[in-house]
Amino acid sequence: MITSHELRKKFLDFFLSKNHAIIPSASLIPENDPTALFINSGMHPLVPYLLGEKHPKGTMLTDVQKCVRTVDIDEVGDATHLTFFEMLGNWSLGSYFKKEAIEWSFEFLTSYRWLNVPLSRLAVSVYKGDDLVPKDEESARIWKSMGIVEERIAYLGKEDNWWGPAGKTGPCGPDTEMFYWVQNDTPPPVKFDPSDKRWMEIWNDVFMQYNKDQSGNFSEMPQKNVDTGIGLERTLVVLNGLNNVYETDLFIPLFQKINGLKRADAVSAEAEMRAMRIIADHTRAAVFIIGDQRGVTPSNVDQGYILRRLIRRAVRQARLLEIPMDIGITSEVGSRVIDLMQSAYPELGRGREKILGELTKEEQKFEKTLEKGLKELKKFFAKNETPQSADSSRQKVDSSKAFFIFQSFGFPLEMIQEEVLAHRMYIDEQEFKGEFEKHQGLSRQGAEGKFSGGLADHSTATTRLHTATHLLHQALRDVLGDHVAQKGSNITEKRLRFDFSHPEKMTEDQKARVSAIVNGKIRARLPVKIQEMSVEDSQKSGAIGLFEHKYNDRVSVYFVGDYSKEVCGGPHVKNTSELAENGVFKIIKEEGVSAGVRRIKAMLEHF
Ligand code: ATP
Ligand code: MG
């Protein structure tokens, strides 16, 4: 069994032995990047140096970086996705390149002095090349010289084995990924099939070899960089033959704590497992965010807002497990997190009092909100409850009442629902949504009058997503480049779908940037203005979205602040702040639909 402490230490020791300088984890809060709320990878804080700035510690670096990925929050509860995790990495800033990078990855994985992974359980993928950039023969050759046989090398395209550029232009290049056969009882097949999930990706070496210019051409860069990243928790899972990240030593004590506090059989085994995982994950993330060297406290904006949601989501799951609120679940579990992690992250030990204090304060605030809402519900039930002796049919709750409680006390709908069910009643969700929309409609109508038409479905949620689509379109152009053009769009009350031209799969980093930009524009409370003009004038104004109009049409251009200008039939909100009422903008899926066309599904959601 290799522990988290051993793996961190082995990794750093190994690269130290190869003359790398160990650098401390950067703060979780980005210093020079207004487009992201949190650092989401080892590479993220090093971007300025990868772009050519000199690093004070030299040209060969290694570290263990704290990461937060809010985009993965809905995945939490599965076997491998956490909101907070640690990424091990090594970098060459214009120093070594493919040969050393691959040889060292190989040595660290397979040498008996280090991880001692049997060669028979390893496979790799390498960039296969396209019209613009040749196949990465060099990497394949180096792997073979290490003993990786041809059958264990998969050649894949840009969607799998390519990185960057982070902006429209700049450094980019092929990567090579390492896979580990995780099945303990079945030997790996000779031929590597990357679509077989029993081959788990464990490490990725990125080679920043090319510069992409304005016209989309790739030229060899004078300074070539290496960036590698390997997730600590997942690597512990595979090396130890475990089933999920919660079985690692990073989580066992947290689970013991939660186990001791929960009421047995409060919910189904499956719901219980999920709840425990969410409590453990979210509390860990909250501890690291508060205890960070640039730590934040719960609030209604930016990082503080995410932190608030993390804590409240954890508390909610604790209620499902019938853990009494006066226990203060997040500070109880948080205290264990600090015990476990303070040797690797001394800032947590130093900040213990502050961290636990903030967790407790936020829990109490949430508790007050809940109390008020519950009291109101109780009054309501006292008047309406069906006697227990009655038959099994449940009584319907008046939706406008339920909405009133939701509205006045900020009481989460799912919790109202739980209470209602416990009192042998039910809420008609459709009706409740109707109330919700009626309210939204009323508060908006006076301000903005009539819509100008264009969309079939004008419900508030749809309108908001429509405006979000404009923000998304512009943000995609900012992050990926001006080649991004709309190829299709479909909006329902729940989600938007946006098809656009772009040749490759978006990276995690690009998705995070796009979401961060859209959320930034929502928080910036930008006014939305409409102006009618000729097609010619709209072109002059730089508006996008002209594709389906004839030249002498008159068109409406929607201006979102001075951020987005787009020809469109509407309707749109009056101010981007309205979007926040439906929650935070989240990309839920990014996929290819045809050659050169990608599809994003996104929603506005309170999480
Ligand atoms: P996935 O597709 O599973 O979400 P990814 O492609 O987003 O993974 P990368 O962006 O390549 O992952 O990040 C590098 C490594 O960081 C991954 O191989 C994994 O070990 C780790 N990692 C990424 N996201 C998470 C997460 N949410 N929780 C834990 N580890 C993660
Ligand atoms: Mg991911």
Side-chain angles (χ1 to χ4, degrees), residues 40-41 69 72 80-87 177 201-204 229-235 245 505 508-509:
N40 63 20
S41 63
R69 287 197 184 174
D72 287 343
T80 56
H81 287 90
L82 299 162
T83 54
F84 170 85
F85 65 96
E86 296 166 76
M87 204 186 283
E177 301 185 336
E201 181 200 327
I202 49 172
W203 201 350
N204 191 350
I230 165 170
L232 176 76
E233 299 80 359
R234 288 193 199 172
T235 306
V245 289
K505 184 177 158 74
E508 212 53 64
D509 183 57

Side-chain angles (χ1 to χ4, degrees), residues 5-174:
H5 176 72
E6 282 163 359
L7 183 53
R8 282 191 209 102
K9 182 161 164 30
K10 277 194 173 181
F11 188 84
L12 297 178
D13 282 350
F14 177 79
F15 282 100
L16 189 63
S17 79
K18 306 293 181 195
N19 297 320
H20 287 61
I22 298 177
I23 57 171
S25 171
S27 161
L28 271 174
I29 317 294
E31 253 170 297
N32 317 305
D33 184 359
T35 65
L37 289 178
F38 294 103
I39 291 296
N40 63 20
S41 63
M43 172 203 277
H44 191 172
L46 289 170
V47 166
Y49 309 103
L50 292 165
L51 294 177
E53 205 173 293
K54 268 210 156 24
H55 194 285
K57 289 291 195 78
T59 58
M60 293 164 69
L61 309 172
T62 185
D63 74 3
V64 180
Q65 175 64 45
K66 306 185 273 187
C67 302
V68 165
R69 287 197 184 174
T70 52
V71 287
D72 287 343
I73 194 160
D74 289 325
E75 246 80 51
V76 173
D78 74 4
T80 56
H81 287 90
L82 299 162
T83 54
F84 170 85
F85 65 96
E86 296 166 76
M87 204 186 283
L88 312 166
N90 59 287
W91 286 272
S92 158
L93 305 171
S95 171
Y96 60 87
F97 203 46
K98 291 180 188 174
K99 181 167 171 359
E100 294 85 343
I102 291 176
E103 287 181 2
W104 289 337
S105 293
F106 183 85
E107 183 185 347
F108 181 67
L109 287 174
T110 59
S111 163
Y112 72 93
R113 292 187 48 207
W114 303 100
L115 297 187
N116 203 18
V117 169
L119 186 57
S120 64
R121 286 176 88 153
L122 283 182
V124 302
S125 64
V126 167
Y127 177 57
K128 74 171 178 191
D130 66 7
D131 302 344
L132 295 167
V133 182
K135 182 173 174 182
D136 188 5
E137 303 274 12
E138 192 184 349
S139 292
R141 208 177 48 240
I142 301 165
W143 281 121
K144 281 187 237 170
S145 77
M146 301 276 90
I148 300 278
V149 294
E150 184 67 38
E151 289 83 359
R152 287 288 173 81
I153 304 180
Y155 296 90
L156 304 173
K158 283 221 166 105
E159 42 324 322
D160 294 294
N161 282 81
W162 186 263
W163 180 85
K168 299 171 191 181
T169 58
C172 53

